[in-house]
């Protein structure tokens, strides 16, 4: 059974940092794409970062490029999202999700975690 469990969310002041973790089980990161998504109140869920097992690349949304870094520890089957220079507009529930196709993109994700809330105060 595929399971994804996010952790690391919380309240942080603008300009601060947080590191999110997503512990994955029931599949291997070697042959699955895994991504971070976020959904702010009243807005759609957007992909902000993703590691593709198809081409090995890591993708970032323009809104987080240069501030967020996604990494994976295959031995622990865990992915991380290091978030620096946080802004109030980064406030959202953050989810990790995976696709057995190895490709990134919201539509292809098959399994989702329950999310972790990040709140950035001004």
């Amino acid at each position: 059974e595929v399971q994804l469990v996010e952790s690391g969310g919380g309240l942080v002041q603008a300009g601060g940092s947080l590191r999110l973790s997503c512990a994955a089980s029931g599949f291997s990161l070697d042959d699955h794409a895994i991504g971070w998504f976020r959904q702010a109140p009243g807005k759609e869920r957007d992909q902000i970062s993703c590691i593709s097992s198809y081409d090995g690349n890591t993708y970032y949304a323009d809104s987080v490029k240069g501030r967020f870094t996604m990494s994976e520890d295959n031995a622990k089957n865990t992915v991380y999202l290091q978030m620096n220079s946080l802004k109030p507009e980064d406030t959202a529930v953050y989810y990790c999700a995976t696709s057995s196709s190895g490709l990134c993109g919201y539509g292809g994700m098959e399994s989702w975690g329950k999310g972790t809330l990040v709140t950035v105060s001004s």
Side-chain angles (χ1 to χ4, degrees):
E1 179 188 4
V2 172
Q3 284 193 322
L4 298 165
V5 180
E6 304 94 338
S7 61
L11 174 64
V12 64
Q13 288 189 330
S17 299
L18 280 176
R19 189 177 81 153
L20 305 183
S21 299
C22 174
S25 60
F27 68 98
S28 172
L29 294 176
D30 290 337
D31 56 17
H32 279 64
I34 188 159
W36 284 100
F37 296 72
R38 69 183 181 188
Q39 187 167 20
K43 295 191 176 181
E44 295 183 349
R45 190 174 299 187
D46 294 323
Q47 179 176 285
I48 55 171
S49 184
C50 185
I51 297 176
S52 168
S53 62
Y54 179 77
D55 58 17
N57 289 330
T58 304
Y59 298 91
Y60 295 97
D62 288 342
S63 59
V64 305
K65 204 171 290 183
R67 299 188 298 124
F68 291 10
T69 302
M70 183 176 179
S71 61
E72 62 181 3
D73 184 333
N74 289 55
K76 295 182 178 180
N77 228 38
T78 299
V79 296
Y80 304 96
L81 186 68
Q82 178 66 43
M83 307 187 295
N84 298 328
S85 302
L86 284 161
K87 305 175 182 179
E89 50 263 44
D90 294 318
T91 294
V93 178
Y94 285 69
Y95 301 88
C96 62
T98 189
S99 171
S100 60
S101 73
L103 301 174
C104 294
Y106 179 92
M109 295 297 166
E110 300 150 342
S111 301
W112 294 81
K114 293 183 178 181
T116 185
L117 176 63
V118 172
T119 304
V120 184
S121 64
S122 56

